[in-house]
């Protein structure tokens, strides 16, 4: 699946944001119609029918509703990653033109921060969005500290009758930059905290699905069994190219690695070709690191690709303190 950035502007300033370095260094801010049509043609020729719309905040784009409608009418399934923080006019436009679609054509993933770090005006707008699009919406949460609290997630899903699935993301480091994330030596502590929420996931019939970069070994075998049960046998411990396409038509592996080998989409003939390019880059990095832990090097689960050994951004973050020549050697 490809991620299309409609804009590089955002309505929030999250402390864990791993897109900040990209947003700060980008020269273009909004995707135009010509580029959207090129991307749609490119994906269609690649036999890819699922796309995600990202930002920043994608709904900031003045043509957000038109772009979403265009892609749906071209038979793409569109998933929108949003904060849910929309102006009254934008939400009204969304309700007028997008509410008619079913989840087979349109879905939303609302990345929900804890109320303690959210302004009341933001919470009020999120309330209106979820009241309008709850049936199409699942929540996402980004964990960036070990003493996290996700009780509000269960309350929100039940209040608005949302899709009973939670996308659980780990905040990852931006190599050479600063953002809040959980250091490698605290990942297992984070895992213990997450396990404490298993009874609430089960009681509320909510499945927790991991975004990339979650190491498998922070959970015991018994805990893994419960995770598989909660997710009806589907759980991933992957780390691979997400394939982001920016408004300036540059592509990169994922936001934490957006400063490493950014390329132009015009250099490739298909989405698969882009994926293979970044898979090879990841493979070179992983050949050096193995994984985030020392024991990842010989782990049978990593060797069998059941677990990818955590996020490669952790390793590249270490390399930033070494010679630039060394970094270029591995990532070339």
């Amino acid at each position: 699946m490809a991620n299309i950035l409609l804009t590089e502007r955002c309505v929030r300033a999250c402390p864990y944001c791993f897109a900040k370095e990209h947003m700060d260094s980008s020269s273009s801010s909004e995707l135009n119609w010509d580029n959207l049509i090129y991307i749609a043609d490119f994906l269609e020729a690649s036999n890819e029918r699922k796309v995600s719309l990202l930002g920043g905040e994608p709904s900031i784009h003045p043509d957000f509703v038109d772009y979403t409608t265009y892609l749906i009418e071209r038979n793409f399934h569109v998933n929108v990653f949003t904060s849910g923080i929309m102006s009254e006019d934008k939400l009204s436009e969304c309700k007028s033109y997008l509410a008619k679609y079913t989840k087979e054509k349109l879905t939303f993933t609302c990345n929900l921060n804890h109320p303690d770090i959210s302004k009341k005006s933001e919470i009020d707008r999120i309330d209106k969005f979820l009241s309008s699009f709850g049936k199409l919406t699942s929540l996402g949460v980004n964990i960036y500290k070990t003493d996290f609290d996700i009780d509000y997630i269960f309350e929100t899903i039940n209040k608005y009758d949302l899709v009973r699935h939670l996308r659980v993301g780990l905040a990852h480091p931006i190599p050479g930059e600063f953002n809040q994330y959980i250091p490698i030596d605290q990942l297992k502590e984070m895992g213990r905290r997450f396990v404490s929420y298993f009874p609430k996931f089960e009681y509320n019939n909510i499945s927790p699905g991991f975004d990339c970069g979650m190491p498998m070994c922070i959970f015991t075998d018994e805990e893994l069994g419960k995770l598989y049960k909660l997710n009806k046998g589907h759980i991933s411990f992957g780390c691979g190219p997400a394939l982001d396409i920016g408004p300036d038509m540059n592509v990169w592996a994922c936001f934490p690695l957006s400063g490493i080998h950014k390329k132009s989409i015009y250099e490739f003939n298909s989405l698969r070709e882009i994926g293979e390019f970044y898979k090879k880059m990841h493979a070179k990095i992983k050949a050096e690191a193995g994984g985030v832990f020392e024991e990842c090097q010989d782990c049978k689960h990593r060797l069998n690709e059941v677990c990818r050994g955590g996020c490669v951004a952790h390793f590249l973050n270490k390399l930033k303190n070494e010679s630039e020549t060394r970094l270029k050697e591995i990532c070339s």
Side-chain angles (χ1 to χ4, degrees):
M1 180 188 297
N3 299 321
I4 305 173
L5 274 74
L6 299 191
T7 178
E8 289 155 345
R9 293 182 293 136
C10 196
V11 294
R12 298 188 299 197
C14 303
Y16 56 82
C17 182
F18 34 88
K20 182 180 183 300
E21 192 265 349
H22 171 78
M23 300 296 172
D24 290 346
S25 64
S26 295
S27 58
S28 179
S29 62
E30 291 181 345
L31 185 72
N32 62 43
W33 268 107
D34 287 343
N35 287 347
L36 176 70
I37 293 169
Y38 182 94
I39 293 170
D41 290 344
F42 183 88
L43 296 178
E44 187 173 66
S46 301
N47 294 315
E48 178 58 65
R49 284 294 177 185
K50 294 182 179 180
V51 299
S52 292
L53 301 183
L54 280 68
E57 168 53 51
S59 66
I60 289 178
H61 195 293
D63 295 318
F64 165 70
V65 171
D66 288 339
Y67 282 12
T68 303
T69 302
Y70 170 77
L71 290 169
I72 292 173
E73 294 304 320
R74 284 196 59 171
N75 294 318
F76 289 97
H77 176 275
V78 177
N79 182 56
V80 180
F81 279 85
T82 180
S83 64
I85 303 170
M86 298 182 186
S87 68
E88 293 282 355
D89 288 345
K90 182 66 68 173
L91 181 59
S92 177
E93 185 183 10
C94 288
K95 289 163 67 175
S96 295
Y97 295 98
L98 300 182
K100 64 182 179 181
Y101 293 115
T102 65
K103 62 183 178 180
E104 284 72 35
K105 293 182 177 291
L106 174 66
T107 51
F108 294 89
T109 299
C110 183
N111 292 305
L112 199 64
N113 285 338
H114 194 283
D116 286 353
I117 65 169
S118 303
K119 300 175 183 177
K120 185 181 185 304
S121 59
E122 294 176 346
I123 295 173
D124 290 343
R125 290 188 178 187
I126 294 169
D127 173 83
K128 292 176 180 178
F129 168 75
L130 294 178
S131 296
S132 301
F133 288 96
K135 296 293 185 182
L136 302 178
T137 304
S138 60
L139 294 185
V141 63
N142 290 304
I143 299 174
Y144 62 99
K145 56 183 182 178
T146 55
D147 61 344
F148 63 92
D149 169 19
I150 56 172
D151 282 326
Y152 71 99
I153 292 291
F154 302 102
E155 295 166 4
T156 304
I157 291 175
N158 289 326
K159 178 180 179 180
Y160 299 99
D161 194 22
L162 307 182
V163 177
R164 308 196 80 76
H165 176 78
L166 177 66
R167 182 202 64 82
V168 181
L170 275 181
H172 301 305
I174 306 168
E177 301 293 330
F178 177 78
N179 65 309
Q180 289 189 30
Y181 63 91
I182 298 176
I184 293 172
D185 60 3
Q186 295 178 23
L187 286 173
K188 292 185 179 180
E189 180 183 349
M190 181 280 300
R192 301 282 71 73
R193 176 74 173 171
F194 187 76
V195 166
S196 71
Y197 284 98
F198 279 7
K200 290 190 176 182
F201 279 109
E202 185 172 16
Y203 178 80
N204 290 282
N205 191 30
I206 297 169
S207 61
F210 295 140
D211 209 346
C212 62
M214 186 76 76
M216 182 177 178
C217 63
I218 65 173
F219 302 107
T220 67
D221 288 346
E222 181 181 357
E223 291 162 356
L224 287 171
K226 290 181 180 179
L227 270 172
Y228 278 96
K229 182 179 178 182
L230 285 170
N231 287 278
K232 299 178 176 61
H234 300 284
I235 192 73
S236 174
F237 295 95
C239 176
L243 304 185
D244 298 325
I245 306 172
D248 58 0
M249 303 300 274
N250 279 330
V251 297
W252 56 90
C254 60
F255 273 126
L257 305 184
S258 62
I260 310 288
H261 255 325
K262 190 177 288 184
K263 307 286 281 186
S264 169
I265 193 173
Y266 302 118
E267 298 179 51
F268 302 95
N269 295 311
S270 69
L271 191 66
R272 180 177 180 179
E273 195 173 299
I274 300 174
E276 290 301 319
F277 174 83
Y278 285 111
K279 282 179 183 177
K280 288 179 181 177
M281 188 186 82
H282 274 205
K284 289 182 68 175
I285 297 170
K286 291 174 181 178
E288 293 280 337
V292 295
F293 301 117
E294 289 293 331
E295 54 266 36
C296 291
Q297 192 69 39
D298 301 314
C299 176
K300 65 180 181 180
H301 299 303
R302 186 189 69 83
L303 295 173
N304 291 329
E305 299 188 346
V306 176
C307 174
R308 297 289 179 149
C311 179
V312 298
H314 280 287
F315 181 62
L316 289 180
N317 202 39
K318 292 180 181 178
L319 278 182
K320 275 288 185 179
N321 297 321
E322 298 183 15
S323 165
E324 281 295 316
T325 303
R326 179 71 176 132
L327 182 62
K328 290 176 182 177
E329 174 190 337
I330 293 174
C331 296
S332 63

